[in-house]
Amino acid sequence: MTLPLILVIGGLVAWPAGYAIYLSMLNRRMTQFIGLTNFEILLESDSFRMVIFQSVFFAVTAVILKALIGFWLAHMLHHLPTKGQRKWRGMLLVPWVIPPALSTLGWWWMFDPSYSSINWLLAIFAVPSVPWLGEPWWARISVIIVNVWYGAPFFMIMYLAALKSVPEQLYEAAAIDGATSSQRLRYVTLPMMRNIISITVLFSLIVTFANYDIVRVLTNGGPRDLTHVFASYAFQVGILAGNIPRGAAVSLFMFPILGVIAFFVLRGINRRNREEA
């Protein structure tokens, strides 16, 4: 029964991952095995060290903001009437269902220095124009804004499903014991949601580290290659510069770290499930 799924995972995940590891250990012409030399060369490069900083800053900041905004939206929706909840849930899911490249292109128009609608709104309140894509830190913030706008609905729908699974009897018991709303959130809601929170954050962290289209469409790594993340830099090195083994090394750089994080998160979830059982 599981054989078809195993074959799909093997063909679409395991084999490409293994082949990428093999490529990362070849020279540029792919004629000689050179071990970890590509990784050593990358670590000696100032440009790649900046990519590491930008990728970590982008992923961690975006995931934290998505988690906080998604939880707030889910909490608000959870307390709405069922009819109104369906309407708002549908509207708030729109950013997540639009293709990322298409929605990022719309944001690119809004950030454009010549006819930025955001700067036009700022000018109404006498706020100076912001060089959204022309200055490194503003460009980094712009990329994070678009990623948060796209990804927060995913957190919202996951957390909303988790909130609905929390038994109302727990809230009633906490209210009888005199617990305030913040105490009910801390001692009832969050403990009951911690597995969903862990899985959602882990999944989003992996996907955010692998993000390509937002950076490619919005900044193309600029200005001065200071907004590259691993995926966009791997494309530049591997495809545009023609060094496929080194591009594979770039794309695999975070794999061991994310693998360790996933191992500990999933182990914690399994341990909590056994304790609850």
Side-chain angles (χ1 to χ4, degrees), residues 29-273:
R29 294 185 178 181
M30 295 187 286
T31 58
Q32 183 180 358
F33 183 82
I34 58 174
L36 301 178
T37 303
N38 281 319
F39 295 93
E40 295 173 1
I41 294 173
L42 287 172
L43 286 174
E44 293 172 357
S45 168
D46 292 336
S47 297
F48 185 68
R49 287 198 291 267
M50 181 58 69
V51 170
I52 296 174
F53 166 77
Q54 166 60 19
S55 298
V56 173
F57 175 75
F58 164 67
V60 173
T61 306
V63 169
I64 290 174
L65 291 174
K66 286 186 286 189
L68 293 175
I69 294 172
F71 184 82
W72 177 74
L73 290 173
H75 199 264
M76 295 298 104
L77 285 177
H78 184 61
H79 292 88
L80 289 177
T82 304
K83 185 177 180 180
Q85 188 178 127
R86 285 198 297 266
K87 178 181 66 176
W88 282 102
R89 188 170 58 216
M91 289 190 293
L92 290 171
L93 277 174
V94 169
W96 190 53
V97 299
I98 297 176
L102 183 61
S103 60
T104 305
L105 185 60
W107 278 98
W108 180 77
W109 286 332
M110 289 192 288
F111 288 139
D112 186 88
S114 301
Y115 45 87
S116 170
S117 58
I118 299 176
N119 284 341
W120 178 78
L121 290 173
L122 293 176
I124 294 177
F125 299 98
V127 177
S129 297
V130 175
W132 294 105
L133 304 179
E135 198 275 331
W137 274 106
W138 280 115
R140 288 166 176 157
I141 292 171
S142 301
V143 172
I144 291 172
I145 289 173
V146 178
N147 186 267
V148 171
W149 178 84
Y150 172 74
F154 170 73
F155 278 80
M156 177 198 72
I157 203 67
M158 293 293 289
Y159 290 168
L160 182 60
L163 281 171
K164 290 186 177 299
S165 67
V166 178
E168 287 294 329
Q169 294 86 343
L170 295 179
Y171 292 116
E172 294 172 359
I176 292 172
D177 290 337
T180 63
S181 58
S182 60
Q183 289 173 329
R184 290 196 296 270
L185 175 66
R186 180 179 177 183
Y187 295 109
V188 178
T189 305
L190 293 179
M192 294 296 295
M193 292 179 59
R194 57 186 177 179
N195 284 352
I196 293 296
I197 291 174
S198 299
I199 292 173
T200 308
V201 168
L202 174 64
F203 178 78
S204 180
L205 189 65
I206 294 172
V207 171
T208 305
F209 264 113
N211 187 270
Y212 168 77
D213 33 20
I214 291 178
V215 175
R216 179 67 176 171
V217 173
L218 200 63
T219 66
N220 198 21
R224 303 192 302 277
D225 289 340
L226 293 178
T227 59
H228 270 304
V229 292
F230 288 118
S232 62
Y233 192 69
F235 178 80
Q236 177 173 296
V237 172
I239 304 301
L240 299 183
N243 194 338
I244 293 178
R246 195 164 300 166
V250 172
S251 66
L252 290 169
F253 189 82
M254 286 299 294
F255 176 75
I257 299 174
L258 292 174
V260 171
I261 294 173
F263 171 77
F264 283 106
V265 170
L266 295 176
R267 190 178 71 170
I269 292 172
N270 289 331
R271 185 175 63 249
R272 288 193 293 270
N273 287 336

